[in-house]
Amino acid sequence: MIGLQDTSVRQRLKRKYLKIFVLTDYKIQEFPHSFEECIKINPNNSSHARLELGKLYAKTARIKNAEEQFTICINESNNTNPFAYLEIGKLYLTIGDLEKGEEALIRCAELEKWKKPHAIIELGRLYKRQGRFDEAEELFYKCIEVEKDTKPHPRGELCKLCSELGRK
């Protein structure tokens, strides 16, 4: 087993296996094996590779495989990986399991102490989709507060919601 405490080994592995993160969509089908190889090299510390593999599976509509990778990632982190909760929450929303999606997104936001926008905006979009407009509006405002005006996404979502509701 390779010792990943050695920075040079870690850097070589990162360059060799993890450089595929920036691939374009048309090449995505070819690269799950690279993530699987990375996981085999160090199976006890594979959360990042599993997370990226799950995202890759989700992009290619391999839903069960994606769910499995995100679940393993959550379990490996003793339920403390907000990124895995975010991704599995988005996956559940995509397949229409709104209840599980909401639970995962709430867990992500809680782990991030409601200080990161990703889960908050996804929850706002879900609540808007469900007709829970007041809760959605509250979350979009929270997202704007958290973002400190650096991204237009929550403002755009809030504007759309207010426009649909006839509010200013």
Side-chain angles (χ1 to χ4, degrees):
M1 181 67 61
I2 297 174
L4 290 181
Q5 277 61 33
D6 180 9
T7 305
S8 62
V9 172
R10 244 192 328 235
Q11 291 302 323
R12 281 183 293 182
L13 286 173
K14 193 172 191 177
R15 281 194 301 273
K16 184 174 181 181
Y17 291 111
L18 302 182
K19 66 184 174 185
I20 62 174
F21 294 159
V22 294
L23 293 174
T24 56
D25 283 342
Y26 75 92
K27 293 202 174 213
I28 261 176
Q29 294 281 356
E30 303 172 24
F31 289 98
H33 68 276
S34 295
F35 291 110
E36 292 162 356
E37 283 299 312
C38 190
I39 292 165
K40 284 179 191 172
I41 289 170
N42 193 0
N44 296 325
N45 188 16
S46 62
S47 289
H48 187 73
R50 287 189 185 283
L51 187 64
E52 294 302 324
L53 180 59
K55 287 162 57 173
L56 182 65
Y57 284 147
K59 273 188 176 183
T60 56
R62 294 170 63 183
I63 304 303
K64 289 291 182 198
N65 297 86
E67 182 181 22
E68 177 185 8
Q69 293 305 315
F70 296 144
T71 301
I72 291 170
C73 193
I74 289 167
N75 292 337
E76 282 182 353
S77 71
N78 294 319
N79 303 319
T80 61
N81 187 326
F83 305 109
Y85 278 106
L86 175 66
E87 293 302 329
I88 202 167
K90 291 189 321 188
L91 180 72
Y92 287 142
L93 295 182
T94 300
I95 61 172
D97 193 339
L98 304 184
E99 188 175 317
K100 280 186 176 179
E102 180 181 11
E103 288 173 14
L105 292 172
I106 289 171
R107 179 68 178 140
C108 175
E110 288 171 345
L111 287 170
E112 295 179 328
K113 299 183 183 356
W114 297 89
K115 300 287 185 199
K116 304 273 173 130
H118 305 97
I120 298 170
I121 198 164
E122 292 297 332
L123 276 168
R125 289 176 180 151
L126 170 63
Y127 293 163
K128 178 182 167 192
R129 181 173 158 189
Q130 293 176 323
R132 297 162 62 183
F133 301 119
D134 291 337
E135 291 170 278
E137 182 178 21
E138 183 180 319
L139 287 172
F140 293 144
Y141 276 117
K142 175 70 175 166
C143 197
I144 291 168
E145 175 189 318
V146 166
E147 272 297 306
K148 307 279 192 261
D149 299 324
T150 58
K151 298 205 184 233
H153 306 299
R155 289 188 184 283
E157 295 289 342
L158 184 60
C159 287
K160 285 181 208 172
L161 176 65
C162 290
S163 175
E164 289 172 15
L165 297 175
R167 297 182 189 168
K168 290 190 175 195

